[in-house]
Amino acid sequence: MPRERLYLFDTTLRDGAQSNGVDFTLADKLVIARMLDELGIDYVEAGYPGANPTDTNFFAEKRPLRACLTAFGMTRRPGRSVSNDPGLVALLDAQADAICFVAKSWDYHVRVALETTEDEMLASIRDSVRAAKAKGREVLLDCEHFFDGYKANPAYALSSAKAAYDEGARWVVLCDTNGGTLPHEVEKIVGEVCKVIPGDHVGIHAHNDTEQAVANSFAAVRAGARQIQGTLNGLGERCGNANLVSIIPTLKLKPEFSQHFDIGVPDEKLQTLAHVSHTLDEMLNRAPDRHAPYVGESAFATKAGIHASAIMKEPATYEHVAPETVGNHRKLLVSDQSGRSNVLAELERIGLSVDKDDPRVVRLLDEVKDREAIGYAYETADASFELLARRMLGKVPHYFEVEKFDVNVEQRVNAKGDRVTVSLAVVKVKVGDDVLISASEGIGPVNALDLALRKDLGKYQSFITGLELTDYRVRILNAGTEAVTRVLIESADESGEHWTTIGVSPNIIDASFQALMDSIIYKLVKSGAPA
Ligand SMILES: [Zn+2]
């Protein structure tokens, strides 16, 4: 039997951005959009043009993505014409492939929140869909409060969805906006809708207020819906949205779904899922959820005892899917066997081949474990891991040495009478027989240190001119009894390659210095700088 296509719609950058403590910059949004695109998501909803400068700027120019880039906004305001609604005009002008309108499907909200009539709401939906189609956009309608609205007044709720479908909207998306609907209710109501609107035009947008957003999404698919909306890591206001990081592997790996549906995420991209999930956490400066299904550090960890030897013999006995399929790995908490194979796999991935019985593999593993116990996180800091491994194998030349550095922070009153804080760093570097001293001011102590460090590296200077620090993140950790600071620095170079380095210390300047040094040395190694 041919499989049906099921579409994935990501709203991390729009609905997910409503989460407490989440504030994406334009650069963040571009990175995440690209990451979703590479993963194979069909629709990337990037924001609400006109609502804030970040989203307006995002849609001000064409963003080349394979995915259908979607802008979100309201249908025309009641009592206005399309051309007389500046918000709608801005939305229609946004550089997007699709427009996702939101409209009220609960008669109570139409009366109380919008203070208008059902007929005017339906006319607003029709006019807006028509205007967007005339602009050549694919159109979706988010039917807000659909399930609560359907329970209160099924005829009106259905007519709001039908108005968009009849006008040519590609999708009508049934939203459980308050997140309180249960799976059996979702399945029943979606089934009713699919009698009126073909299921391959129906989507589900579930919130997680009873921790069933993922289950509700699958219930809708069982009832006929063919688009699932969700976010990475279930990001979203209150308790979050349906978590695509759980939905994707279930669709790909569970026969109930995989035998009947195809999604845009290929098998090899599924293997990057854990990385995608953790990358978003790092951008948000959050610790990944260890117990997250599929991608959490503990998702495939089994405690000592009777299970361990059985897992070694036959992993499938204790695992519902193979951890590698989602880019995770098996963890046996009793032996380092699995850690060792992880390290070997990592070494192979970065092109350092060693014999599996080489004693240095065990030494490297011990070193990684010791360092992770005090706060290092090598899964994220790929470049620092590579340097650690190369050093262990004697493959990092001794390029230069920082003999000393000094960083100063001074607050004073400037000539205009304003209080200003300035930082000054002085670095003494030994390159071969040359001793080089550089000083630099910066907007903060770490910035000053970075500028001074990279100001003059003698014969290596030409290798690092394209080096750029693109992100700097600090987290205070409680490792053991004392608090330590973990710094992650993301760098990029002229070739477009990105890498992340790490430093850990009770002192933030020390931690930053380690991460900066790793970044520079990684760049030298990568550029093939001579010893
Ligand atoms: Zn929502």
Side-chain angles (χ1 to χ4, degrees):
M1 213 177 92
R3 284 181 299 212
E4 265 186 86
R5 185 68 158 82
L6 194 60
Y7 294 85
L8 296 176
F9 181 108
D10 180 279
T11 183
T12 304
L13 301 177
R14 202 274 303 170
D15 224 2
Q18 303 298 316
S19 320
N20 244 338
V22 171
D23 187 17
F24 293 127
T25 63
L26 179 60
D28 291 339
K29 285 203 164 198
L30 288 168
V31 169
I32 295 169
R34 238 176 283 133
M35 193 162 78
L36 291 164
D37 196 38
E38 277 172 26
L39 185 60
I41 299 294
D42 301 295
Y43 294 82
V44 173
E45 186 173 56
Y48 186 170
N52 59 66
T54 303
D55 288 3
T56 304
N57 289 337
F58 188 100
F59 287 105
E61 48 186 284
K62 204 123 188 76
R63 308 291 180 182
L65 295 181
R66 182 204 44 78
C68 184
L69 183 63
T70 308
F72 173 88
M74 314 254 257
T75 57
R76 74 159 172 77
R77 285 206 248 158
R80 295 228 184 169
S81 68
V82 168
S83 54
N84 227 341
D85 181 337
L88 180 52
V89 170
L91 181 60
L92 293 172
D93 285 337
Q95 297 284 314
D97 306 311
I99 292 178
C100 183
F101 289 111
V102 60
K104 305 221 174 278
S105 291
W106 190 352
D107 58 353
Y108 172 75
H109 277 262
V110 174
R111 285 195 308 275
V112 176
L114 276 187
E115 297 180 357
T116 187
T117 62
E118 292 173 16
D119 283 345
E120 174 59 6
M121 183 74 249
L122 297 177
S124 157
I125 293 172
R126 284 191 294 265
D127 293 347
S128 306
V129 172
R130 198 181 314 124
K133 287 200 56 121
K135 274 277 197 175
R137 305 290 190 265
E138 184 174 327
V139 185
L140 302 90
L141 181 75
D142 271 3
C143 298
E144 202 184 33
H145 295 291
F146 186 85
F147 294 92
D148 296 310
Y150 189 91
K151 289 182 200 168
N153 181 347
Y156 171 69
L158 263 182
S159 59
S160 67
K162 191 107 183 355
Y165 175 68
D166 288 345
E167 203 60 53
R170 170 68 184 87
W171 295 100
V172 290
V173 181
L174 313 180
C175 302
D176 186 24
T177 309
N178 290 350
T181 311
L182 302 177
H184 67 281
E185 298 174 305
V186 169
E187 190 157 353
K188 181 166 170 289
I189 293 173
V190 173
E192 296 294 324
V193 173
C194 290
K195 289 178 191 160
V196 183
I197 298 170
D200 57 1
H201 292 271
V202 174
I204 177 75
H205 176 110
H207 278 264
N208 201 31
D209 299 71
T210 69
E211 211 170 24
Q212 300 189 84
V214 169
N216 280 343
S217 304
F218 292 136
V221 170
R222 273 197 303 274
R226 293 296 175 258
Q227 183 193 101
I228 298 177
Q229 298 201 344
T231 59
L232 290 178
N233 297 348
L235 214 63
E237 65 182 325
R238 305 190 312 275
C239 316
N241 286 55
N243 184 359
L244 288 178
V245 174
S246 296
I247 287 173
I248 291 168
T250 299
L251 291 174
K252 297 264 315 165
L253 300 173
K254 299 296 173 182
E256 172 176 2
F257 294 107
S258 62
Q259 285 175 357
H260 298 109
F261 301 109
D262 277 326
I263 60 172
V265 180
D267 296 351
E268 68 272 16
K269 290 297 175 184
L270 185 63
Q271 292 166 18
T272 68
L273 196 65
H275 181 71
V276 166
S277 169
H278 298 162
T279 301
L280 181 70
D281 284 324
E282 282 304 340
M283 291 180 75
L284 295 172
N285 213 0
R286 293 180 173 182
D289 177 3
R290 301 175 66 91
H291 302 286
Y294 294 105
V295 298
E297 212 185 317
S298 300
F300 299 96
T302 303
K303 261 255 161 77
I306 50 163
H307 300 336
S309 60
I311 291 191
M312 294 303 289
K313 276 185 238 144
E314 191 44 77
T317 49
Y318 288 93
E319 289 166 356
H320 72 114
V321 297
E324 297 76 26
T325 54
V326 291
N328 206 339
H329 32 253
R330 180 170 307 130
K331 260 210 179 120
L332 290 183
L333 304 175
V334 277
S335 91
D336 62 8
Q337 287 295 324
S338 62
R340 185 190 172 116
S341 51
N342 292 340
V343 166
L344 281 167
E346 271 304 293
L347 291 176
E348 197 181 297
R349 196 182 56 78
I350 58 185
L352 293 170
S353 58
V354 281
D355 188 85
K356 69 176 171 36
D357 296 320
D358 190 319
R360 292 176 299 181
V361 173
V362 176
R363 247 190 291 146
L364 176 59
L365 179 61
D366 288 344
E367 180 81 20
V368 168
K369 280 182 176 170
D370 288 349
R371 286 170 163 256
E372 292 198 335
I374 59 168
Y376 287 83
Y378 285 105
E379 195 192 58
T380 312
D382 48 356
S384 287
F385 174 81
E386 183 170 336
L387 285 180
L388 193 67
R390 284 182 182 276
R391 285 192 181 109
M392 195 69 81
L393 302 172
K395 288 187 174 163
V396 179
H398 184 80
Y399 296 113
F400 65 93
E401 199 177 317
V402 175
E403 291 203 327
K404 62 182 257 183
F405 70 80
D406 179 36
V407 183
N408 234 302
V409 181
E410 181 184 286
Q411 196 185 70
R412 56 173 145 84
V413 178
N414 70 8
K416 291 190 209 149
D418 299 325
R419 280 211 157 270
V420 291
T421 305
V422 281
S423 300
L424 174 70
V426 181
V427 179
K428 188 174 174 189
V429 186
K430 194 157 182 253
V431 185
D433 292 332
D434 301 333
V435 174
L436 306 162
I437 297 177
S438 307
S440 190
E441 278 191 332
I443 49 171
V446 176
N447 178 239
L449 181 61
D450 172 40
L451 293 175
L453 201 52
R454 290 196 285 147
K455 202 169 190 174
D456 187 4
L457 278 185
K459 61 177 176 172
Y460 297 120
Q461 194 61 25
S462 63
F463 291 95
I464 63 164
T465 45
L467 174 63
E468 227 187 299
L469 303 192
T470 52
D471 201 7
Y472 174 80
R473 299 191 294 277
V474 178
R475 198 152 86 215
I476 310 296
L477 307 166
N478 276 307
T481 51
E482 56 181 338
V484 295
T485 304
R486 173 201 287 170
V487 167
L488 285 167
I489 287 178
E490 196 178 292
S491 310
D493 69 4
E494 65 282 2
S495 72
E497 195 193 326
H498 286 251
W499 61 91
T500 305
T501 53
I502 191 166
V504 172
S505 164
N507 181 311
I508 186 172
I509 303 290
D510 262 344
S512 306
F513 177 72
Q514 291 170 23
L516 286 171
M517 285 290 284
D518 268 9
S519 174
I520 294 170
I521 291 170
Y522 180 81
K523 171 68 179 155
L524 292 176
V525 170
K526 198 172 88 73
S527 306

